[in-house]
Amino acid sequence: MVLIKRIALLLAASAASLLLLAGCSRSVPKKADLDGTMDAMKQKINSAQMTDLSEDDLMPNYGIKAADVRQFAACIDSTGTKGDEILLFEGTGNESAERIAEKLNARLRQKAIEMKDYLPEEYAMLKKCGVERSGNYVALIVSPRAGELKQIYKNAMKQ
């Protein structure tokens, strides 16, 4: 009887430890401030040539449904001669974040096709960029300063 109690106590303690560790290992923030993150990114780049996007731009330009988006911040190069594009999203859930990631990957492939023959320098920069996902947060950062901008994004995800 004492052995059974000790085993039960050991199992309960093990289960509690696992739950505690699972809770501590979350690296996805409960709520990241995407507007604040975008503002920090704009301080690193020449934002005078960047245009902010509105919710009305999501479906026609990216195929992203507003219903899938909890919050977003997005800006693109307004000159049409550069591939710069910063798109930060929080999906409403795991499935919506997956759909957003798929649409952003499709956008990246489309940009590569467009730039490959017409803007070779921008194409080379684009090949170093990609879609990043952290829980329900999804980002596409295309910029010559992508490394610095991705670090700002990663820091925002640690909050």
Side-chain angles (χ1 to χ4, degrees), residues 41-99:
M41 289 179 172
K42 285 180 177 180
Q43 291 178 4
K44 291 283 183 189
I45 59 173
N46 179 8
S47 61
Q49 295 180 344
M50 300 293 278
T51 300
D52 291 329
L53 300 180
S54 72
E55 186 177 300
D56 295 336
D57 297 312
L58 298 182
M59 181 53 87
N61 294 333
Y62 301 97
I64 295 173
K65 296 176 184 175
D68 280 344
V69 179
R70 178 164 289 134
Q71 66 168 324
F72 79 99
C75 66
I76 61 170
D77 174 67
S78 61
T79 67
T81 60
K82 298 189 185 291
D84 296 32
E85 204 162 317
I86 303 170
L87 308 167
L88 311 175
F89 291 91
E90 179 187 6
T92 57
N94 186 53
E95 291 173 2
S96 62
E98 184 61 32
R99 287 190 294 272

